[in-house]
Amino acid sequence: MSTAGSQLAANAGLDFSLPQQLTVILLCALTAFISHMALAVFNDGVRPFMLDFIHGRTTRSATTAVSFGLSAGFIFGLGAPMALSSGVLNPWLLFLPTDILGLLAPKKWLAPLLGAGWGAVVVFGLNGANEVAHDLPVDFLTAMQQMSTPILFLFTLFPVLAITKQFGRAWGGVAGAVELALVVMTMKLWPDMFAGALAMAVGVLLLIGLAVRRDLVQRKADREAAAASGAAAPEGPPEDDPMASLFSTSAARLRRYLPLFMVLGAGICMLAQMHIFGGGEATSFLIAKGNISEAAQVDFYRFFGFIPLIATTALASGAYGIVGFTIVYPIGYLMPNPVLAAIAGAVVFALEVLALSAIGKLLGKLPSVRDSSEHLRNAITETLLLAILFGSLMAANAMGAGLGILVVGGLYLLNEVMGRPVVRMAAAPAAVIVGGALLNVLYWLDLFTPVKG
């Protein structure tokens, strides 16, 4: 990476321009309204509960409680620390709260007001919190920038993990060797490029190729078996299948609100185009470093892991994903201006909603590809769990040496033995913030001297 691009945006603060502020506030208002209407939510874990809410079998307050319980740890333990340490907004900070606020609002007109209020808190409050934190004797936000290296490089390995789990150790070993060689080659030949970009591309393509090959071989075997027995191979579910009927009803419900989804897609794509927003942990740091094309590449690979999950949960529940299939992220990063980004985002969301039924049917015919997406998501989670934990301990060492590691590591372990009141993904960054606050208190009590750096 270039020296000029290696300085994280957090050092410049979270000071947004007026167009950026308005975009965030209006988008938060829109996403809260859409959540209130039970048309879409960001939290994948909440979406399956939306069917009962849509059909009146559960109350708004009960659904809000589910959303809050599944989202609070990610908001305060991951979304806020990632934004403060990278200087780039993220979906956990923006859209998980608007899920909750939209569902909480008893009236339709109140939901966008609450969402806009949260957007205002983000764009006007984060910069102040950022400045205060950087003025503390123990600057834990600068220390948290240590997280960027393990997140970026360990994230590169997620295709290797997915291939190993789905296709065995031999193919996993091949993928690992190829990725390592490509990382070394990229660092040597193209030092300004993110070293893991080419390796991830090859890894994901290998995974998809192996999955498609397995499905094609299986379909050929099924046809040959059917021909040998004189029976026709089934082409799909029977017409009276209740699940097929549910899928059809959900898809029709979402299509009725197509113009609203197009506005949503336009807004998300515009936000991504402004380069103040990253769709993932690795992406946030890449955008902060100015590596926009690499950020687009990373989120493009993540997109393959979320198509089956979002499509099936949307068809089963009648509620779509706030960010769709996430392909709108990389498209937005690469757009030259906000107007083209808005047009592209609207078109992308229109195509996604209109194609939802067809995608569901296609996934039913490609079980190995569907399984690959599951393995991709799990691999992404596993690599990030290790990367975030390791990066958090590096941050602890930067701000407090051995005492910092003791405090942050101890808080993480305490969270584990207490049954994870804070979700594991968010526990380590949250521990860095709490540990940083504690080290500042110890400094003011003249019991600790900050590490010089």
Side-chain angles (χ1 to χ4, degrees), residues 2-359:
S2 64
T3 303
S6 63
Q7 190 71 13
L8 290 179
N11 289 342
L14 285 150
D15 192 11
F16 304 108
S17 66
L18 180 60
Q20 292 169 343
Q21 292 171 347
L22 291 176
T23 301
V24 172
I25 291 171
L26 292 175
L27 186 56
C28 285
L30 177 61
T31 52
F33 177 74
I34 289 174
S35 172
H36 175 87
M37 297 282 288
L39 291 172
V41 289
F42 177 75
N43 194 320
D44 296 320
V46 174
R47 203 170 302 118
F49 293 92
M50 298 302 290
L51 181 64
D52 286 340
F53 176 64
I54 291 169
H55 290 283
R57 294 192 289 266
T58 189
T59 63
R60 181 173 292 279
S61 59
T63 309
T64 303
V66 169
S67 181
F68 180 83
L70 293 175
S71 302
F74 285 102
I75 297 169
F76 301 108
L78 185 63
M82 286 294 297
L84 289 168
S85 59
S86 69
V88 176
L89 301 178
N90 58 70
W92 304 284
L93 181 65
L94 293 183
F95 304 140
L96 287 180
T98 58
D99 278 0
I100 299 168
L101 294 171
L103 290 169
L104 175 67
K107 300 293 184 182
K108 188 181 297 186
W109 59 267
L110 183 58
L113 293 181
L114 292 176
W118 175 253
V121 168
V122 170
V123 296
F124 296 117
L126 275 185
N127 192 46
N130 187 61
E131 291 176 352
V132 169
H134 282 306
D135 289 336
L136 292 173
V138 180
D139 184 357
F140 55 87
L141 291 186
T142 297
M144 287 183 73
Q145 293 175 11
Q146 298 287 329
M147 297 170 60
S148 64
T149 299
I151 286 177
L152 290 174
F153 280 86
L154 287 176
F155 186 76
T156 302
L157 293 174
F158 78 87
V160 177
L161 271 64
I163 290 170
T164 304
K165 289 192 173 184
Q166 188 170 9
F167 298 102
R169 298 174 185 174
W171 276 114
V174 170
V178 169
E179 283 212 5
L180 177 60
L182 289 172
V183 168
V184 173
M185 182 180 74
T186 303
M187 294 176 74
K188 183 68 175 177
L189 299 179
W190 306 291
D192 291 336
M193 179 190 297
F194 168 49
L198 183 58
M200 279 189 288
V202 172
V204 171
L205 288 174
L206 178 59
L207 175 66
I208 294 173
L210 289 170
V212 171
R213 176 177 172 272
R214 176 179 286 182
D215 280 334
L216 293 177
V217 169
Q218 185 60 49
R219 290 186 68 181
K220 181 180 178 181
D222 291 343
R223 285 195 299 268
E224 290 174 351
S229 64
E235 290 295 328
E239 292 184 5
D240 58 350
D241 182 356
M243 188 58 70
S245 176
L246 173 63
F247 280 16
S248 177
T249 301
S250 296
R253 176 178 186 264
L254 295 175
R255 285 196 297 270
R256 287 199 300 271
Y257 294 93
L258 186 63
L260 190 59
F261 281 114
M262 292 176 70
V263 175
L264 175 63
I268 294 172
C269 202
M270 283 179 62
L271 184 65
Q273 191 277 334
M274 292 176 175
H275 301 159
I276 60 169
F277 172 89
E281 301 88 345
T283 316
S284 294
F285 285 112
L286 284 169
I287 289 176
K289 293 171 183 288
N291 297 335
I292 305 303
S293 60
E294 287 90 343
Q297 190 174 342
V298 167
D299 272 350
F300 179 72
Y301 304 143
R302 287 173 65 107
F303 152 74
F304 290 105
F306 287 91
I307 295 176
L309 173 67
I310 294 171
T312 53
T313 55
L315 290 170
S317 67
Y320 197 44
I322 281 289
V323 294
F325 290 141
T326 73
I327 188 65
V328 73
Y329 292 159
I331 291 174
Y333 301 150
L334 299 176
M335 284 290 112
N337 60 66
V339 174
L340 288 178
I343 295 171
V347 171
V348 167
F349 261 52
L351 293 175
E352 288 182 6
V353 172
L354 292 174
L356 204 52
S357 292
I359 291 172

